[in-house]
Amino acid sequence: MFSFPIQILPADIAAEAAALNAKLAKGVSNLTSLTDDDIDIGSTPKDIVFEQDGIRVYHYHPLVEPAKIMKTPLLIVPPLINGYEVADLQPDRSLVRNLLNQGIDVYLNDWGYPRPVDKYRTIDDYINGYFDDTVDFIRKHHGVDKIALLGICQGGAMSTVYSTLNTDKISHLVLTVSPIDFDAYRENHKPHEGLMFTMGAEADVEKMVAVHGNVPATVLNESFMMASPFILNYGKYADVVDILDDRLALQNFLRMEKWLFGGPDAVGQMFKEFIRDFLKGNKLVKGTLEVGGRKVDLMDLTIPILNIFAEKDHIVPPPCTVALGKHVGSKDYTEFAIATGHIGIYTGGLSQKVLAPTVGNWMRERGA
């Protein structure tokens, strides 16, 4: 008698169907009972200490005794196109909390949600205006001449520019998955690596801004998901079925979704200038970038630099980050790799163990 190599018994089908039905029922119960407060992000205790034009500066409450807090405060600079909460997604996956536990006095620049009128803001407005005002406030608040910066992605590129122009105000520069050389990925790269840079270079940004003013976050999210469409549009949602009955795992998933789809629009003029001068023109590494009439020469960047990148990053491929080393004038330049991806460097399990301790040890060794 012929038999199939895979035996599917009616009893097994019934048992699996019953288990799936129970999981779905529990999932419906979880989803209908969860509130927005249950999906909290950015929850580490903090105070708003400085604010202008919708941009807020947070100062986080210490988590160690005063004697263990470093004397040099650290300002985290997120990208303008994502919510700051990626640095503080949930208590057990929080760069902010981990830095506080290292004894670092942490501030964070929340760029906020731009209003229609803000579409005219330029790179100069951000670097020489809001960024500089924030740094000066923290310096005065702490009574110090210099502070440290930690840049996240686009915020790292901005921090690099600011530090180059203001070495008299910045003592240490830490970069995480920060795009510096936007062409460095092109040699021997896989098709999905640097895809957002490739798409951005081809985008008609002038028309986007003319139509929208500030470019909607939904447009940016679609671009991000197209960098890995099957996983980000379909795969992760198919996998949700496996965690529907696990309330804690479901909350963790929804926190990431809340951050990903709750980001701000991109400020129109700033977005145009960043695409033109950084992504398309690659002016930062070519030495032709000017901000507010001042030339940004990376050889002037002589302060200690810690450049951290993600080995599996396809959004900002590692070559685009580590290229910084050959352009700066600093004699104290360190690179550190973490085996994770672009977002995982802030939210992944491995990063919780190594990212903040690496930053803390590096700063302590340099007198922070």
Side-chain angles (χ1 to χ4, degrees):
M1 180 178 178
F2 178 78
S3 62
F4 289 99
I6 300 176
Q7 297 296 316
I8 302 177
L9 302 176
D12 293 337
I13 295 175
E16 186 169 337
L20 178 60
N21 186 63
K23 182 184 287 285
L24 291 174
K26 180 63 174 176
V28 170
S29 175
N30 282 334
L31 287 170
T32 54
S33 64
L34 287 171
T35 67
D36 190 61
D37 289 339
D38 294 320
I39 316 300
D40 57 328
I41 57 178
S43 61
T44 300
K46 57 187 177 291
D47 299 314
I48 300 171
V49 292
F50 185 66
E51 186 173 8
Q52 58 176 332
D53 297 339
I55 299 171
R56 294 178 171 181
V57 178
Y58 301 131
H59 187 201
Y60 289 88
H61 298 182
L63 295 180
V64 299
E65 57 192 66
K68 294 182 178 180
I69 299 176
M70 298 183 194
K71 64 178 182 295
T72 301
L74 174 74
L75 172 64
I76 298 177
V77 185
L80 273 74
I81 57 175
N82 295 114
Y84 77 90
E85 296 92 348
V86 70
D88 187 29
L89 195 66
Q90 60 192 58
D92 61 343
R93 294 179 184 271
S94 170
L95 173 60
V96 168
R97 285 180 184 263
N98 293 337
L99 291 171
L100 291 170
N101 283 323
Q102 288 294 314
I104 299 175
D105 200 344
V106 178
Y107 289 79
L108 184 144
N109 212 353
D110 176 7
W111 298 111
Y113 290 78
R115 305 159 298 179
V117 70
D118 297 331
K119 68 181 181 180
Y120 301 107
R121 291 178 183 170
T122 65
I123 289 179
D124 181 27
D125 291 329
Y126 279 98
I127 298 295
N128 294 318
Y130 300 119
F131 202 146
D132 194 46
D133 289 346
T134 295
V135 170
D136 284 346
F137 169 81
I138 297 172
R139 291 167 62 224
K140 182 178 180 180
H141 191 246
H142 273 267
V144 296
D145 293 328
K146 298 182 178 183
I147 70 169
L149 297 179
L150 188 153
I152 294 177
C153 190
Q154 181 197 34
M158 295 172 64
S159 297
T160 300
V161 171
Y162 183 85
S163 298
T164 302
L165 296 175
N166 298 277
T167 53
D168 59 323
K169 298 181 181 181
I170 305 302
S171 59
H172 307 74
L173 176 62
V174 181
L175 302 175
T176 57
V177 292
S178 300
I180 301 296
D181 184 340
F182 287 80
D183 292 332
Y185 73 96
R186 297 183 182 277
E187 186 175 350
N188 299 321
H189 72 288
K190 297 177 181 178
H192 69 291
E193 293 176 342
L195 185 58
M196 289 193 67
F197 292 169
T198 303
M199 292 190 297
E202 299 297 327
D204 190 341
V205 181
E206 292 284 344
K207 184 174 293 185
M208 293 169 66
V209 173
V211 171
H212 297 290
N214 295 323
V215 180
T218 52
V219 174
L220 302 176
N221 287 336
E222 287 297 327
S223 300
F224 171 75
M225 290 189 291
M226 286 306 295
S228 187
F230 293 103
I231 293 176
L232 297 177
N233 285 294
Y234 304 108
K236 67 174 181 178
Y237 297 115
D239 292 340
V240 170
V241 174
D242 295 328
I243 63 170
L244 281 175
D245 58 342
D246 185 333
R247 185 180 177 90
L248 182 59
L250 188 59
Q251 284 178 279
N252 293 345
F253 174 82
L254 292 174
R255 286 190 181 99
M256 178 60 75
E257 293 293 285
K258 183 177 182 178
W259 169 75
L260 181 62
F261 292 101
D265 298 341
V267 174
Q269 184 62 29
M270 169 67 181
F271 188 64
K272 283 200 302 184
E273 293 180 3
F274 192 85
I275 296 296
R276 181 194 69 201
D277 293 342
F278 287 77
L279 196 154
K280 291 184 178 182
N282 209 18
K283 293 182 179 180
L284 182 58
V285 295
K286 290 180 179 178
T288 57
L289 179 67
E290 290 190 4
V291 178
R294 301 171 64 191
K295 183 179 179 181
V296 183
D297 185 349
L298 288 176
M299 288 303 296
D300 293 336
L301 187 56
T302 56
I303 62 176
I305 302 169
L306 174 60
N307 196 359
I308 303 173
F309 63 96
E311 292 178 342
K312 303 175 183 179
D313 193 342
H314 67 274
I315 303 297
V316 180
C320 298
T321 296
V322 301
L324 179 66
K326 62 184 179 183
H327 293 286
V328 296
S330 176
K331 303 300 181 183
D332 185 356
Y333 173 84
T334 305
E335 291 175 0
F336 185 78
I338 301 178
T340 186
H342 189 75
I343 305 302
I345 201 168
Y346 308 108
T347 64
L350 175 61
S351 294
Q352 307 312 307
K353 302 175 183 177
V354 299
L355 179 54
T358 297
V359 174
N361 291 334
W362 180 83
M363 289 183 63
R364 272 188 292 269
E365 291 168 0
R366 286 154 181 81

